[in-house]
Amino acid sequence: MFDVNEIRKDFPILSRKVNGQPLVYLDNAATTQKPQQVIDCIVDYYSNYNANIHRGVHSLSQEATDAYEGARKKIQTHFNIANAHEVIFTAGATESINLVANGFTEILKKGDELIVSGLEHHSNIVPWQMLCERTGAILKVLPIHEDGSLKMDVFKTLLSEKTKLVFVNHISNALGTINPIKEIIELTHQNGGAVLIDGAQACSHVRPDLAALDCDFYVTSAHKMCGPTGVGMLYGKEKWLEKLPPYQGGGEMIAEVTFEKTTYAGLPHKFEAGTPNISGGIAFGAAIDYLNDIGFEAIAEHENELLNYATQQLLSIKGLKIYGTSAEKTSVISFNIEGIHPYDIGTIVDKLGIAVRTGHHCAQPIMNFYKIPGTVRASFAFYNTKKEIDILVAAVKKAHMMLS
Ligand SMILES: *Cc1c(COP(=O)(O)O)cnc(C)c1O
């Protein structure tokens, strides 16, 4: 049984005060809070079996290696990935995308085309622009509708045999839109291109089945799904990971080194140079266990209830406009009040203990589309409550009164 009050007890930070008020944490799209189970997992590693992995024959190193590789297996199972060596540990979604963009430098030719969606986070735009500068490939943009959904009819006209890569997020961090990635993957494959899905925002809300999706790459960050910062994953189909060159050189990623020539290790180690974030990787696995114990169906049900309730309540405020109104969306509400700067609303509600995000949410092209400087964004997690939404709505009303 899903009991939000029981769940909240797992998160020590949720009982603290901010500016004298109980914390109302509604910035989950930027990072989620961490349950005690994940925090304990990190403490346990450093307290009891801290050692470098893959190297020592000694027992501690074995224990650490087993836990780290065990986490890779958990990720493999969770995302329904065929082989554990198709799971690459990275520092996060951003690094995963850079790894792939870097790898395509030698593969792309001048005039090849890439398609980026108009809903992307800067992390899924800038590395590709840099790749285009290196290779002379052309970046095309898949535009969005007023409601924040992708113009799929335009997508079909952009695709051609020149299209080498398409990148799109699974769920938009700025608007909450859930994108039709299955259709995008199928259409791109029909034209011979490859697809990278940015799942950073999706994985705390849904459990992607990567075998069913059949995407070429999928990236995510642990910290957006109750895990620690500084660790994430790159899933790549074996055939792509074999084809891409190593991203960084160093220890762990080699088979043999002489001054004349170095041969690289096989997957996944080829892409994992240097000592990794060992405790982070293990805690990523613990976060996945934690979310699965609650269950993604229960999470979705609760978050949808919060989304519907908050949408209704916020829209009762005069002059308030919500950006991103697609029927397919998760628990993110981006809004503005006519005549008021989002930053001013954010500042006032912070004084009342409420954490929301204001600004462009690392997605300036979306703000340009709506011709606004930014929005106030409230993003809900499964540990948020209707009572917290009432507190938010009262605070926004108060800000509205003070500022108009
Ligand atoms: C957070 C986020 C990123 C970046 O993730 P990092 O953890 O900062 O690397 C990329 N895309 C989306 C959709 C995100 O929400």
Side-chain angles (χ1 to χ4, degrees), residues 29 92-94 121 123 169 171 173 198 200-201 221 223-224:
T94 301
H121 188 285
S123 290
N169 56 40
I171 293 178
N173 62 300
D198 172 2
Q201 200 55 230
S221 286
H223 74 93
K224 300 246 173 107

Side-chain angles (χ1 to χ4, degrees), residues 6-226:
E6 279 304 309
I7 286 169
R8 288 177 69 82
K9 292 181 190 159
D10 291 335
F11 293 81
I13 207 169
L14 295 180
S15 55
R16 71 160 278 184
K17 289 192 168 168
V18 169
N19 294 324
Q21 303 292 327
L23 167 66
V24 174
Y25 186 78
L26 304 178
D27 193 17
N28 295 287
T31 197
T32 53
Q33 295 303 342
K34 320 305 171 199
Q36 193 65 51
Q37 290 85 334
V38 168
I39 298 167
D40 286 347
C41 172
I42 295 167
V43 173
D44 180 41
Y45 167 76
Y46 284 115
S47 308
N48 295 313
Y49 63 102
N50 171 51
N52 212 329
I53 53 171
H54 299 147
R55 296 173 192 177
V57 289
H58 63 81
S59 301
L60 282 193
S61 175
Q62 267 311 321
E63 273 181 46
T65 303
D66 289 349
Y68 192 71
E69 291 307 320
R72 194 190 307 271
K73 284 249 155 56
K74 283 180 190 176
I75 294 168
Q76 179 199 356
T77 306
H78 179 76
F79 290 98
N80 197 18
I81 291 169
N83 303 297
H85 63 251
E86 292 172 311
V87 176
I88 311 295
F89 277 115
T90 64
T94 301
E95 191 184 48
S96 300
I97 295 168
N98 277 280
L99 188 162
V100 177
N102 190 70
F104 269 87
T105 307
E106 298 300 320
I107 295 173
L108 292 187
K109 292 188 299 294
K110 195 164 185 296
D112 282 345
E113 294 180 1
L114 314 179
I115 300 175
V116 62
S117 106
L119 280 179
E120 296 314 297
H121 188 285
H122 297 162
S123 290
N124 206 19
I125 302 174
V126 183
W128 305 114
Q129 289 175 323
M130 293 162 74
L131 173 64
C132 287
E133 275 174 28
R134 290 194 297 273
T135 59
I138 298 158
L139 191 61
K140 301 214 154 180
V141 181
L142 160 54
I144 62 175
H145 291 289
E146 192 62 29
D147 70 354
S149 62
L150 297 173
K151 288 192 172 167
M152 290 300 289
D153 49 336
V154 177
F155 181 57
K156 287 172 197 159
T157 68
L158 291 175
L159 276 173
S160 74
E161 73 283 356
K162 284 189 191 156
T163 310
K164 291 296 180 290
L165 267 171
V166 173
F167 13 94
V168 57
N169 56 40
H170 190 167
I171 293 178
S172 157
N173 62 300
L175 305 179
T177 315
I178 305 172
N179 290 314
I181 55 171
K182 178 98 180 115
E183 191 187 347
I184 289 171
I185 293 161
E186 279 172 10
L187 288 168
T188 308
H189 283 171
Q190 281 164 22
N191 282 271
V195 183
L196 178 141
I197 302 294
D198 172 2
Q201 200 55 230
C203 297
S204 63
H205 305 292
V206 294
R207 179 177 180 171
D209 180 337
L210 299 191
L213 280 174
D214 196 35
C215 54
D216 301 275
F217 302 99
Y218 193 100
V219 307
T220 199
S221 286
H223 74 93
K224 300 246 173 107
M225 46 191 301
C226 297

Side-chain angles (χ1 to χ4, degrees), residues 152-395:
M152 290 300 289
D153 49 336
V154 177
F155 181 57
K156 287 172 197 159
T157 68
L158 291 175
L159 276 173
S160 74
E161 73 283 356
K162 284 189 191 156
T163 310
K164 291 296 180 290
L165 267 171
V166 173
F167 13 94
V168 57
N169 56 40
H170 190 167
I171 293 178
S172 157
N173 62 300
L175 305 179
T177 315
I178 305 172
N179 290 314
I181 55 171
K182 178 98 180 115
E183 191 187 347
I184 289 171
I185 293 161
E186 279 172 10
L187 288 168
T188 308
H189 283 171
Q190 281 164 22
N191 282 271
V195 183
L196 178 141
I197 302 294
D198 172 2
Q201 200 55 230
C203 297
S204 63
H205 305 292
V206 294
R207 179 177 180 171
D209 180 337
L210 299 191
L213 280 174
D214 196 35
C215 54
D216 301 275
F217 302 99
Y218 193 100
V219 307
T220 199
S221 286
H223 74 93
K224 300 246 173 107
M225 46 191 301
C226 297
T229 56
V231 64
M233 76 134 184
L234 164 67
Y235 157 76
K237 277 187 182 165
E238 185 181 65
K239 65 165 189 190
W240 280 116
L241 295 179
E242 292 291 358
K243 199 166 171 182
L244 298 187
Y247 178 50
Q248 294 183 318
E252 293 262 347
M253 55 76 74
I254 50 89
E256 200 175 8
V257 178
T258 66
F259 282 111
E260 287 70 41
K261 185 174 167 51
T262 289
T263 51
Y264 305 127
L267 297 174
H269 305 293
K270 172 179 151 188
F271 292 108
E272 296 181 349
T275 301
N277 181 351
I278 302 169
S279 68
I282 298 168
F284 188 0
I288 284 176
D289 285 344
Y290 180 82
L291 291 173
N292 281 315
D293 281 349
I294 294 174
F296 278 85
E297 268 177 41
I299 288 173
E301 194 178 322
H302 181 71
E303 289 179 346
N304 273 329
E305 212 176 301
L306 295 178
L307 174 66
N308 293 336
Y309 183 67
T311 303
Q312 218 175 48
Q313 295 298 309
L314 284 168
L315 285 176
S316 73
I317 298 172
K318 204 163 161 273
L320 188 144
K321 177 173 175 181
I322 293 177
Y323 299 90
T325 51
S326 162
E328 299 294 323
K329 71 176 280 191
T330 50
S331 49
V332 171
I333 301 183
S334 247
F335 66 90
N336 275 328
I337 299 178
E338 213 184 328
I340 302 178
H341 198 280
Y343 180 80
D344 294 334
I345 298 175
T347 307
I348 291 176
V349 305
D350 173 61
K351 292 279 180 290
L352 300 166
I354 303 165
V356 292
R357 185 77 147 206
T358 63
H360 54 60
H361 319 299
C362 296
Q364 278 180 351
I366 301 180
M367 304 302 134
N368 295 341
F369 172 79
Y370 288 116
K371 299 190 174 59
I372 50 177
T375 68
V376 183
R377 182 186 69 188
S379 50
F380 312 107
F382 56 89
Y383 44 72
N384 288 124
T385 63
K386 281 189 175 175
K387 191 175 147 218
E388 289 180 306
I389 290 169
D390 291 338
I391 295 170
L392 169 73
V393 172

